[in-house]
Amino acid sequence: MKNTLILTLCLFLTHVCYSNIQKEVNIGFKGMEFNTFANELYNKHQITVYYKEQWVKNIKLNKSYTDLNLNNIFTDILKGTNIHFLIRGKIVVLTNKQDLSQTFNLQKQEKITVEKPEVIQSDIELSKLQDQEYKIHKIGTSLGKKKVKLFGKITHFESSQPLKGVEIYLPNLSHGVTSDKNGYYEIELNPGFYTLHYKYMGLKPCSRKINLKGDGRLNIQLINEIRTIKEVQVLAKNDNVKRTSMGIEYIKAKDIESLPSALGEPDIIKSTTMLPGVESAGEGSIGFNVRGGSSDQNLILIDNAPIYYPAHFFGFFSAFNNDMIQEASLYKSSIPIQFGGRISSTYEILSHSNIPSNIEGKLGVSPITTKAFLNLPISKDKLSIMNSFRFTYSDWVVDKIDSKELVDSKADFYDWQGKIIYKPNNNNQFDLSYYKSEDEFQLHSDTIYNFNNFVTSANWRYRFNEKLKMNNSLYYSNFSYDMSSKDIESNAFKLNHNVNEIGFKTYMNLEKNIYTNIDFGLESKYYNISPGEMKPNAINSVVNYSKIPEENGLESAIFIGAKHEFTGSITAEAGIRYSLYGNVGKRDELIYKDGITSRPNVIDTVKTSSGLNNLYHGPELRLSLNYALNSSSSFKASYNRTQQYIHLLSNTTSISPTDTWKLTDRYLKPQVGDQLSLGYYKNLLDSKVELSVEAYYKKIKDAKDYKDGAQLYLNEHAENEVLNANGKNYGIEFLIRKQKGRFNTMISYTYSRSFLKTKEESGEFAVNDGNWYRAPFDKPHNFKAFFSFKLSRRFIFSTNTVFHTGRPATYPIAKYKLQDIPIIYYSKRNEYRLPNYFRTDISLLIEGNLKKNKAYHTSWSFGLYNLTSRKNAYSVYFRSEESFVVGYKMSIFGEVIPTVTYNIEF
């Protein structure tokens, strides 16, 4: 009623002022759609037409109009339809089946209103939100500008969570924009009448009719299309053709809930291994390999803080409760300039950032673990606290397994993750994130292993205006592990290792205009590592105390970059990051003859100064180029240089209990990676199907490898065991993906190679006679297929298949005796391979009752992991048995693993 009265008053005033003026025009052509005609009518003659889009979707002009008045034009266009019109000056109002010119009575008319400037749409009822599509939103005040800006924030209606990557476009114009990670968007247009469309995967598309006169805001809330049906897709974005960057993969946490997993736990880390160019470090192992790189060459961030041990129980369980996670982004080639410190990839994981209207929670129970999540709003739209807790009670399962290898074994872990969010106003947001985990396990021995993570970060996001935004982060990360034994008192010991990192980052984003975006900032981080400590663990233990001196280092960087759209088809990003690293504090360093790092070559010991020592610095360039062939296909190219100053010393292919983190120093040089990538991208069937091909070549300087029989733990001078090598990785990745509708799929094939070559081309430290040899992560052929079927609104069936070449290995190839001493002769390093890997999994997600107003919703998840019961080789080891060398294959899962989880959500 209120909106109808406003419109009646507007029409009455225009009637008095203009006294039914008839406007002469020259506009239109045969076949022009009515929407286009209405837009042109306003842009050329400032005549506004109010209507509902569904009324005129089939109406087209049958001729052009010259020197005719508006009354004659609309009479001709609308003849034969049920649409009536009323002209009042420069306003034309259309109605369906109701003739306003006869009655001037708008009481029965559907709502058609002129909105006030600065439309803010937050916390309105769903019915009112849906009405916004039929209103005309007047934006700004006319100041005679040729170009004006429309800006705003896009959020999810139910959760108030900002939406990143929403597409905002005008069907009659060739360009559009997408919202940033805080949900903000900005588009520059000529003043005029437009219909804007907003589209986001998994949510209902919407549109807004606007009368854009000057700069102004239009906030948007998107709603779920069907609340209880979940899209099962690894990726949530379909702008791969449009964005400039390449080698980027986006993952929504909710989209991996239907993926089959080893023990029924959705895993935001392991889910990356379904992506092209990403491989698991091994079944039942921690970490992943990106384009032939090692696990430690990936920077994993949780709310802007690094985590060093991203798993539980050697990778069998996820590091994080999936209910806490909002989304993740994996950068394989076009790594943004604000990230640095690793040479293979950056994996950015973000927890939820919404303040709900009501309490939200979720409880999940399986035979092995229980998890709980609670998001508690304290002050409406201002303050909320969310927490998740998870623990395992798997000891009883281990006890039930009839295996000699698991007698007297146990495995326990817990994790606690939380976040406090405070939004005092629209321009500020503060949040405090924290994560604590602890693992303890014992496998058929008296040795007990403990792993601990503690990660926390404080983040402040401030918006100076619609163009300039700032993100500040302060974080602390700690990882420690220890091994202990005291059953045999004389040999009782305890070993420990500890890593600390504290840092801050300031990151600014300037949206100069719709064509140019500028990023700049700085960061600094301080490392403290206790490489190892051995101490007796009983009064009568004969174990000697020893401790490796602590290491300290400081890494800093400044960065600036820009993105610019040169034409409608060419967009480029360019940036430079300059990093600086140095060891901090006094320490003893050995001097070696001729620089050959081995014990016999030690000629002196020197003590460094108390300040910065062993300085390393250099530029890191980041370049990307997108050439759009048309709206559905593009070519891209990128170049990245990255530097890494911290290294994981490990004789295994994945993170293991005795691995040691080591800082760059005089002899262990920083790893430097240079990667060039080329790609072609194509969207088909209205972006329902995505095709892509990416090729890359990566050159690595000072990659780390090890001497034969290297002893890394409790080694004060690790440079005696480590080799600085050159590396080269190259490959090509093919991907086809469908991510809309009842049937979704992702199929990928990757051909990739990874090689190393020691800098010593001859002598005892020249591996394979100084020739190129396979890196431990060289797996040439990788095939992955994922399929998801929405059998009904409540049932989702999923399956995935994985195949890849076995990883390289060194085998004994002969055995002989020298002076009656048996000697085993080994092949060249990594000359052989483990057997190929193959696995198929299935899962079924069953939603509970779909009634919308239920107090809680339930779901069941069933899965079968390793459906074919294939005994994939985790490793191969050899034993001398009499006069023969016998090989044995060790498998983690040799049988099918059933899983079941029950979830309650409110």
Side-chain angles (χ1 to χ4, degrees):
M1 176 67 70
K2 180 180 177 182
N3 291 333
T4 302
L5 291 175
I6 293 174
L7 178 57
T8 304
L9 180 60
C10 290
L11 292 175
F12 176 75
L13 291 175
T14 57
H15 172 71
V16 173
C17 295
Y18 290 96
S19 187
N20 202 20
I21 296 175
Q22 294 182 333
K23 177 69 179 178
E24 299 282 328
V25 298
N26 183 358
I27 194 170
F29 57 84
K30 184 177 181 180
M32 175 183 278
E33 293 183 353
F34 188 88
N35 277 337
T36 307
F37 167 73
N39 290 343
E40 190 170 334
L41 200 62
Y42 182 86
N43 292 333
K44 288 186 176 181
H45 303 281
Q46 290 72 54
I47 297 170
T48 304
V49 184
Y50 297 123
Y51 59 94
K52 284 187 177 181
E53 193 166 347
Q54 62 263 38
W55 295 347
V56 299
K57 63 182 180 180
N58 297 321
I59 297 177
K60 294 183 180 180
L61 278 63
N62 54 23
K63 61 181 179 180
S64 61
Y65 296 93
T66 305
D67 297 328
L68 295 177
N69 61 38
L70 288 178
N71 187 71
N72 291 341
I73 291 176
F74 280 92
T75 298
D76 184 63
I77 293 174
L78 300 175
K79 67 183 179 181
T81 70
N82 293 323
I83 309 301
H84 298 269
F85 66 92
L86 178 67
I87 301 174
R88 287 295 181 264
K90 291 191 174 185
I91 296 178
V92 180
V93 179
L94 305 189
T95 59
N96 188 17
K97 300 180 181 180
Q98 185 174 0
D99 189 355
L100 296 181
S101 64
Q102 298 296 323
T103 62
F104 203 69
N105 180 7
L106 303 183
Q107 299 302 313
K108 296 181 181 181
Q109 181 193 351
E110 295 194 42
K111 296 179 181 179
I112 304 175
T113 64
V114 178
E115 287 291 300
K116 296 181 180 180
E118 300 290 312
V119 178
I120 307 297
Q121 304 175 19
S122 59
D123 296 316
I124 58 181
E125 296 177 359
L126 181 59
S127 60
K128 292 183 179 180
L129 176 64
Q130 293 170 334
D131 286 343
Q132 301 298 307
E133 296 213 33
Y134 309 124
K135 298 180 179 181
I136 307 298
H137 301 270
K138 183 179 178 183
I139 307 295
T141 302
S142 179
L143 299 175
K145 293 182 178 180
K146 292 184 178 180
K147 292 281 188 180
V148 294
K149 293 169 186 174
L150 175 70
F151 50 85
K153 184 176 183 179
I154 305 175
T155 57
H156 184 231
F157 175 76
E158 293 188 348
S159 67
S160 300
Q161 178 178 304
L163 297 174
K164 172 186 174 183
V166 178
E167 296 182 21
I168 304 102
Y169 62 95
L170 296 94
N172 298 321
L173 296 180
S174 60
H175 72 276
V177 297
T178 58
S179 59
D180 65 15
K181 67 180 181 179
N182 297 314
Y184 292 106
Y185 74 96
E186 179 181 307
I187 187 168
E188 191 173 43
L189 300 165
N190 296 321
F193 181 88
Y194 300 96
T195 300
L196 281 87
H197 293 261
Y198 300 82
K199 186 170 71 171
Y200 186 78
M201 180 62 61
L203 300 182
K204 185 177 180 180
C206 74
S207 62
R208 294 291 185 271
K209 295 180 179 66
I210 63 170
N211 180 0
L212 186 60
K213 292 189 173 183
D215 296 344
R217 175 194 298 272
L218 182 66
N219 288 351
I220 300 295
Q221 288 180 305
L222 297 181
I223 63 176
N224 291 335
E225 203 153 14
I226 299 177
R227 181 187 183 279
T228 54
I229 288 191
K230 300 178 181 178
E231 292 286 343
V232 184
Q233 59 210 19
V234 177
L235 303 182
K237 307 283 177 130
N238 67 343
D239 59 352
N240 203 29
V241 169
K242 299 177 182 179
R243 63 175 179 246
T244 309
S245 302
M246 60 186 302
I248 300 177
E249 309 288 356
Y250 296 102
I251 302 172
K252 288 287 186 180
K254 65 172 185 174
D255 296 331
I256 67 170
E257 292 181 359
S258 297
L259 287 175
S261 58
L263 294 172
E265 282 277 338
D267 193 336
I268 196 70
I269 301 292
K270 290 292 185 182
S271 64
T272 59
T273 61
M274 288 301 296
L275 301 170
V278 184
E279 293 296 325
S280 171
E283 196 164 48
S285 61
I286 297 168
F288 52 90
N289 308 124
V290 176
R291 293 183 170 178
S294 60
S295 297
D296 72 312
Q297 292 174 354
N298 305 310
L299 176 64
I300 302 176
L301 301 171
I302 175 67
D303 289 337
N304 299 313
I307 182 167
Y308 282 85
Y309 191 79
H312 289 297
F313 190 39
F314 288 106
F316 286 108
F317 293 93
S318 165
F320 306 107
N321 184 346
N322 199 61
D323 300 325
M324 273 290 299
I325 304 303
Q326 174 181 324
E327 63 179 5
S329 303
L330 177 67
Y331 303 96
K332 297 185 295 183
S333 55
S334 294
I335 300 178
I337 58 167
Q338 66 266 30
F339 298 125
R342 301 293 191 275
I343 66 170
S344 278
S345 74
T346 296
Y347 192 38
E348 182 186 24
I349 304 172
L350 300 175
S351 61
H352 288 295
S353 59
N354 63 302
I355 299 178
S357 302
N358 301 304
I359 296 176
E360 296 179 347
K362 191 171 183 179
L363 177 67
V365 180
S366 76
I368 299 176
T369 61
T370 290
K371 59 180 182 178
F373 166 75
L374 184 66
N375 193 349
L376 182 65
I378 305 299
S379 177
K380 184 177 181 181
D381 296 332
K382 296 288 186 181
L383 178 65
S384 77
I385 300 176
M386 68 182 76
N387 281 280
S388 74
F389 185 77
R390 187 173 49 151
F391 64 93
T392 183
Y393 34 85
S394 56
D395 282 356
W396 73 271
V397 178
V398 176
D399 291 340
K400 296 292 183 181
I401 300 176
D402 185 16
S403 172
K404 295 180 180 179
E405 287 76 15
L406 294 178
V407 174
D408 297 327
S409 295
K410 64 177 183 178
D412 297 291
F413 74 80
Y414 79 86
D415 60 56
W416 171 40
Q417 186 177 359
K419 190 173 186 178
I420 301 172
I421 303 173
Y422 175 55
K423 297 180 180 178
N425 51 52
N426 288 333
N427 294 325
N428 286 277
Q429 177 174 325
F430 302 88
D431 58 66
L432 176 67
S433 298
Y434 42 90
Y435 173 82
K436 176 74 172 73
S437 71
E438 183 174 343
D439 291 61
E440 180 178 296
F441 59 90
Q442 177 182 358
L443 296 178
H444 190 53
S445 69
D446 67 323
T447 302
I448 299 175
Y449 299 85
N450 282 280
F451 294 83
N452 296 274
N453 274 307
F454 177 70
V455 182
T456 184
S457 64
N459 300 280
W460 171 37
R461 288 182 282 278
Y462 178 70
R463 184 166 53 121
F464 294 93
N465 49 53
E466 294 300 329
K467 289 182 172 293
L468 183 61
K469 305 174 186 68
M470 176 177 66
N471 291 271
N472 298 294
S473 300
L474 177 66
Y475 67 84
Y476 170 72
S477 180
N478 169 262
F479 166 64
S480 62
Y481 71 76
D482 64 69
M483 296 179 291
S484 62
S485 173
K486 56 183 180 182
D487 279 9
I488 303 176
E489 189 172 358
S490 61
N491 294 326
F493 71 93
K494 188 171 185 178
L495 290 168
N496 60 59
H497 176 71
N498 196 291
V499 181
N500 296 282
E501 180 181 336
I502 185 170
F504 76 90
K505 179 189 292 186
T506 295
Y507 167 54
M508 310 280 283
N509 174 252
L510 174 63
E511 298 178 7
K512 187 175 181 181
N513 51 51
I514 62 172
Y515 303 108
T516 306
N517 225 309
I518 300 174
D519 299 319
F520 57 95
L522 58 91
E523 71 169 323
S524 187
K525 59 187 75 171
Y526 179 80
Y527 301 102
N528 169 259
I529 296 179
S530 177
E533 181 182 26
M534 167 82 81
K535 54 187 177 183
N537 201 26
I539 297 177
N540 297 322
S541 175
V542 297
V543 173
N544 295 321
Y545 175 83
S546 63
K547 182 179 180 180
I548 307 300
E550 291 187 356
E551 296 182 341
N552 300 284
L554 181 66
E555 178 184 344
S556 301
I558 57 175
F559 51 86
I560 184 170
K563 176 182 177 181
H564 183 73
E565 183 179 335
F566 291 96
T567 67
S569 58
I570 298 177
T571 307
E573 290 185 40
I576 184 170
R577 176 186 178 91
Y578 200 94
S579 62
L580 169 70
Y581 170 84
N583 298 122
V584 178
K586 296 181 178 180
R587 54 175 296 176
D588 292 333
E589 292 184 344
L590 301 179
I591 303 299
Y592 298 92
K593 182 181 179 181
D594 299 326
I596 300 176
T597 55
S598 64
R599 288 287 181 181
N601 289 332
V602 176
I603 58 175
D604 197 4
T605 301
V606 297
K607 186 176 289 292
T608 62
S609 64
S610 58
L612 283 176
N613 306 284
N614 304 318
L615 291 178
Y616 298 92
H617 57 90
E620 303 177 25
L621 297 177
R622 315 284 169 88
L623 302 171
S624 297
L625 179 68
N626 184 335
Y627 176 67
L629 301 175
N630 49 52
S631 60
S632 63
S633 61
S634 66
F635 281 108
K636 298 182 189 180
S638 74
Y639 167 77
N640 277 278
R641 164 166 281 205
T642 47
Q643 300 194 75
Q644 179 170 334
Y645 300 102
I646 185 171
H647 322 281
L648 184 65
L649 305 185
S650 173
N651 278 336
T652 64
T653 56
S654 64
I655 302 172
S656 71
T658 57
D659 293 342
T660 302
W661 287 94
K662 179 78 173 66
L663 293 175
T664 290
D665 57 23
R666 179 193 292 263
Y667 299 106
L668 269 70
K669 308 294 183 181
Q671 300 181 67
V672 180
D674 292 278
Q675 181 175 232
L676 178 66
S677 303
L678 300 171
Y680 172 72
Y681 307 85
K682 175 70 175 177
N683 286 346
L684 302 172
L685 303 177
D686 192 26
S687 296
K688 292 180 181 178
V689 177
E690 173 190 333
L691 303 174
S692 67
V693 181
E694 289 189 17
Y696 66 90
Y697 180 85
K698 183 191 293 185
K699 180 181 176 182
I700 303 174
K701 180 182 178 182
D702 290 312
K704 303 302 177 237
D705 205 355
Y706 308 97
K707 299 175 182 178
D708 293 331
Q711 298 295 323
L712 300 175
Y713 199 76
L714 289 178
N715 188 337
E716 183 175 353
H717 301 288
E719 67 268 15
N720 291 318
E721 309 292 342
V722 179
L723 299 172
N724 288 309
N726 293 322
K728 63 178 181 181
N729 303 346
Y730 57 86
I732 186 167
E733 302 165 356
F734 299 89
L735 173 69
I736 179 171
R737 172 169 47 210
K738 180 182 181 294
Q739 49 188 7
K740 293 182 180 179
R742 300 175 67 89
F743 169 68
N744 296 316
T745 184
M746 184 176 72
I747 302 173
S748 70
Y749 168 76
T750 303
Y751 176 79
S752 64
R753 301 307 307 266
S754 178
F755 297 96
L756 293 172
K757 182 181 180 181
T758 55
K759 293 188 174 182
E760 293 81 3
E761 296 185 358
S762 61
E764 61 176 316
F765 303 132
V767 176
N768 290 7
D769 301 321
N771 297 314
W772 290 100
Y773 60 95
R774 297 165 180 166
F777 323 103
D778 178 57
K779 302 175 184 178
H781 301 286
N782 301 272
F783 174 81
K784 302 163 189 173
F786 167 73
F787 301 94
S788 172
F789 305 87
K790 289 183 180 177
L791 305 177
S792 70
R793 295 182 63 194
R794 294 180 54 198
F795 293 83
I796 300 176
F797 175 80
S798 301
T799 179
N800 60 258
T801 297
V802 179
F803 168 85
H804 61 71
T805 308
R807 62 178 174 83
T810 304
Y811 287 173
I813 58 176
K815 181 179 180 181
Y816 61 92
K817 288 186 177 182
L818 180 62
Q819 297 180 349
D820 292 329
I821 300 175
I823 297 175
I824 296 176
Y825 182 78
Y826 284 86
S827 68
K828 293 183 178 179
R829 183 171 297 188
N830 294 338
E831 186 175 4
Y832 292 88
R833 291 187 181 277
L834 298 183
N836 294 336
Y837 182 95
F838 175 83
R839 192 189 78 244
T840 296
D841 316 313
I842 61 173
S843 71
L844 179 65
L845 178 65
I846 304 176
E847 295 283 358
N849 191 296
L850 299 180
K851 291 182 179 180
K852 182 177 180 181
N853 297 322
K854 288 183 62 176
Y856 61 89
H857 294 268
T858 62
S859 66
W860 286 91
S861 177
F862 300 92
L864 294 175
Y865 183 87
N866 193 22
L867 184 64
T868 61
S869 299
R870 180 180 171 89
K871 293 179 171 60
N872 289 299
Y874 176 78
S875 66
V876 173
Y877 62 96
F878 298 87
R879 290 179 179 174
S880 292
E881 297 181 359
E882 297 180 354
S883 59
F884 299 97
V885 177
V886 181
Y888 293 89
K889 180 178 72 174
M890 186 177 76
S891 300
I892 301 298
F893 297 117
E895 304 292 338
V896 60
I897 306 297
T899 63
V900 59
T901 303
Y902 179 68
N903 296 296
I904 301 176
E905 186 174 2
F906 56 89

